[in-house]
């Protein structure tokens, strides 16, 4: 067999899928596992969204559609951005995608070449670092510190930024820590990008999932016309992970180039899924509000429970649905502890190190499960560590 392209050895998978497979193996052997590994809301997709997709399929809206997205979904996204970010982008600034993830892939393919530096938070969503390595870019991972509530500090960006920096990736609210950068921090980062002529990819997939803080986008700087790209989607806010629907908002010339990547890789995003996206944005938001009320209760139960475990300490996350407890006092590595909790307590969470070197000494709990399950998990952990 001929060799596989060496770049394939630089790209990596995700800890969430690795631990899900380990947990499933335990379950196949008859063990009981409580799941905290996958970042996916446990609520069904709201009824009116499903109905919009059924209707589209029934009326045979099932063919290829425009590569960059159908006009009526783009119009809904324009209104959505106006409502949530305070400016109305042009239709030529929008690229509809099958999920948010291809937006990370395409942005990096379109902007980053070997030797360009990419600054991004450590720990963070594993795709960022994986693509940095795949593209042979200079790895500019910037530690986010617990002392700063895991928020990326613009002063750290200022110290790291060089003439070779091409892109800054921001993610607020953040996976895996649940941190939310302040308006001042995001505005300061946007100004730094402007000063150094650098792009920002602002991954805002958790923008609707906040507790007592308001959302701010660095796209306020240039209305996503020059250097800021907004990445958002439907997976988390509307419980649509398997539908695959997301979008980018950015500078028209760059969006046009990425539309060519869509044509080459995917042709278009599924037609009837886009119709469902319109229903999500334009329909009632009650399901989202109910889900966030449930997540708040679960967050409180998770944080309280984790703080009662000897050797664990956990800050209250301000967004998303992840808790990121510090376990350094237990003397175990993240992986040792995640494995011990899986095999001895039947609780599956992720090692913080799966999100980057600065995640060592932490665990990630996705609290997309009931308060009863959370309480049972905390009881099991306490018992197994005592
Ligand atoms: C920070 C972040 N960005 C992007 C994604 C991908 O979203 P999607 O499922 O819409 O591709 C995730 C999913 O976990 C995420 O946590």
């Amino acid at each position: 067999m001929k060799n596989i392209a060496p770049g394939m050895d630089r790209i990596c998978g995700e800890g969430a899928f690795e631990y899900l497979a380990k947990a499933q193996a335990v379950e196949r052997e008859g063990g009981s596992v409580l799941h905290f590994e996958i970042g996916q809301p446990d609520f069904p997709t709201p009824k009116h969204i499903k109905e919009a997709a059924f209707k589209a399929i029934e009326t045979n809206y099932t063919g290829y559609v425009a590569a960059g997205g159908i006009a009526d979904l783009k119009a809904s996204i324009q209104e959505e951005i106006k409502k949530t970010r305070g400016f109305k982008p042009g239709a030529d600034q929008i690229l509809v995608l099958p999920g948010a993830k291809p937006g990370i892939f395409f942005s990096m393919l379109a902007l980053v070449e070997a030797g360009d530096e990419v600054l991004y938070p450590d720990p963070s969503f594993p795709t960022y670092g994986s693509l940095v390595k795949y593209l042979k870019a200079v790895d500019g991972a910037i530690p986010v510190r617990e002392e700063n509530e895991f928020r990326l500090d613009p002063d750290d960006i200022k110290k790291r930024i060089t003439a070779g920096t091409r892109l800054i990736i921001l993610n607020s609210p953040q996976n895996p820590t649940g941190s939310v950068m302040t308006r001042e921090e995001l505005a300061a980062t946007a100004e730094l990008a402007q000063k150094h002529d650098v792009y920002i990819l602002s991954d805002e997939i958790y923008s609707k999932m906040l507790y007592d803080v308001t959302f701010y986008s660095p796209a306020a700087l240039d209305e996503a016309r020059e250097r800021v790209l907004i990445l958002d989607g439907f997976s988390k806010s509307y419980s649509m992970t398997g539908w695959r629907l997301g979008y980018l908002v950015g500078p028209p010339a760059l969006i046009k180039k990425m539309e060519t990547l869509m044509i080459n890789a995917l042709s278009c995003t599924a037609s009837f899924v886009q119709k469902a996206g319109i229903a999500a944005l334009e329909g009632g938001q009650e399901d989202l509000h109910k889900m966030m009320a449930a997540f708040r209760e679960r967050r409180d139960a998770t944080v309280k429970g984790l703080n009662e475990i000897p050797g664990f300490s956990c800050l209250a996350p301000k967004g998303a649905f992840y808790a990121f407890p510090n376990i350094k006092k237990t003397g175990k590595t993240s992986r040792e502890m995640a494995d011990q909790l899986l095999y001895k307590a039947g609780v599956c969470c992720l090692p913080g190190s799966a999100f980057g070197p600065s995640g060592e000494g932490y665990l990630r709990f996705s609290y997309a499960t009931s308060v009863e399950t959370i309480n049972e998990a905390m009881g099991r952990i306490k018992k197994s560590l005592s």
Side-chain angles (χ1 to χ4, degrees):
M1 195 172 74
K2 290 237 188 260
N3 287 341
I4 294 169
M8 289 293 99
D9 288 335
R10 297 194 301 274
I11 205 153
C12 66
E14 267 187 52
F17 294 105
E18 180 198 337
Y19 271 81
L20 176 64
K22 285 188 185 197
Q24 285 168 339
V26 171
E27 287 171 326
R28 272 197 303 277
E29 296 291 311
S32 146
V33 179
L34 303 176
H35 292 270
F36 292 84
E37 69 279 24
I38 293 285
Q40 138 163 292
D42 55 324
F43 295 86
T45 303
K47 193 161 175 271
H48 66 282
I49 300 177
K50 291 192 276 200
E51 279 168 358
F54 295 149
K55 190 168 159 221
I57 292 171
E58 269 161 13
T59 52
N60 297 315
Y61 195 69
T62 53
Y64 288 130
V65 286
I70 61 176
D72 40 357
L73 176 56
K74 283 194 181 185
S76 299
I77 294 170
Q78 285 176 281
E79 289 306 318
E80 165 73 8
I81 297 295
K82 188 171 159 206
K83 208 163 57 196
T84 54
R85 276 79 164 182
F87 67 93
K88 186 172 174 181
D92 60 350
Q93 287 182 265
I94 296 168
L95 182 66
V96 176
L97 300 155
K101 245 184 190 175
I104 304 170
F105 203 83
F106 290 172
S107 304
M108 290 183 69
L109 279 186
L111 290 173
V112 179
E113 298 211 292
D116 289 339
E117 186 178 41
V118 180
L119 303 182
Y120 65 102
D122 168 26
S124 63
F125 190 47
T127 298
Y128 309 150
S130 172
L131 291 173
V132 163
K133 289 176 190 68
Y134 177 66
L135 293 168
K136 290 193 176 168
V138 175
D139 194 319
I142 300 180
V144 291
R145 288 166 277 110
E146 188 175 355
E147 303 81 79
N148 198 38
E149 295 178 325
F150 300 114
R151 298 191 314 270
L152 189 57
D153 185 340
D155 282 340
D156 290 339
I157 298 176
K158 199 170 171 181
K159 280 181 212 142
R160 281 297 296 270
I161 206 162
T162 66
T165 306
R166 179 83 172 136
L167 174 69
I168 303 170
I169 304 177
L170 299 177
N171 176 216
S172 176
Q174 210 230 10
N175 179 9
T177 65
S179 71
V180 179
M181 287 174 74
T182 65
R183 183 189 175 103
E184 291 71 29
E185 287 165 341
L186 287 160
T189 306
E191 272 164 36
L192 275 172
Q194 172 112 312
K195 187 168 161 215
H196 293 269
D197 194 16
V198 167
Y199 281 97
I200 289 182
L201 172 61
S202 181
D203 184 343
E204 302 177 1
I205 188 84
Y206 299 103
S207 59
K208 290 181 193 280
M209 306 189 115
L210 296 158
Y211 314 100
D212 308 320
V213 283
T214 46
F215 177 73
Y216 181 75
S217 172
L221 174 83
D222 65 348
E223 303 194 342
R225 296 220 137 257
E226 207 189 326
R227 66 184 65 257
V228 184
L229 279 137
I230 296 173
L231 176 67
D232 206 339
F234 299 72
S235 297
K236 316 287 176 175
S237 315
Y238 299 103
S239 272
M240 292 176 72
T241 48
W243 293 68
R244 312 310 299 135
L245 187 61
Y247 59 87
L248 277 167
V249 183
L254 179 58
I255 290 291
K256 189 87 205 141
K257 289 286 179 209
M258 288 192 277
E259 196 178 298
T260 318
L261 289 175
M262 268 298 287
I263 292 169
N264 279 271
L266 299 145
S267 294
C268 63
T269 302
S271 48
F272 45 88
V273 169
Q274 295 194 50
K275 289 287 187 190
I278 298 169
L281 294 181
E282 295 186 4
Q285 304 293 305
E286 297 80 17
D287 294 281
L288 168 64
H289 298 144
K290 273 191 219 149
M291 178 170 78
M292 285 315 293
F295 272 140
R296 177 187 287 273
E297 260 187 66
R298 294 156 169 204
R299 175 193 74 149
D300 294 346
T302 306
V303 171
K304 180 171 176 287
L306 289 169
N307 278 318
E308 284 168 5
I309 296 166
F312 283 37
S313 65
C314 186
L315 295 178
K318 293 208 164 66
F321 45 90
Y322 307 115
F324 204 63
N326 181 327
I327 56 144
K328 291 177 186 170
K329 288 204 176 123
T330 65
K332 296 213 182 292
T333 68
S334 298
R335 247 174 203 276
E336 283 165 353
M337 183 56 84
D339 285 346
Q340 179 174 337
L341 295 187
L342 174 60
Y343 296 117
K344 296 226 172 101
V347 175
C348 188
C349 62
L350 297 182
S353 52
F355 298 88
S358 300
E360 183 50 79
Y362 297 88
L363 297 173
R364 190 195 79 169
F365 283 75
S366 165
Y367 48 85
T369 189
S370 68
V371 171
E372 294 72 42
T373 304
I374 291 166
N375 290 338
E376 189 187 336
M378 298 306 151
R380 284 192 190 188
I381 296 174
K382 250 192 230 167
K383 205 166 143 205
S384 81
L385 294 179
S386 63

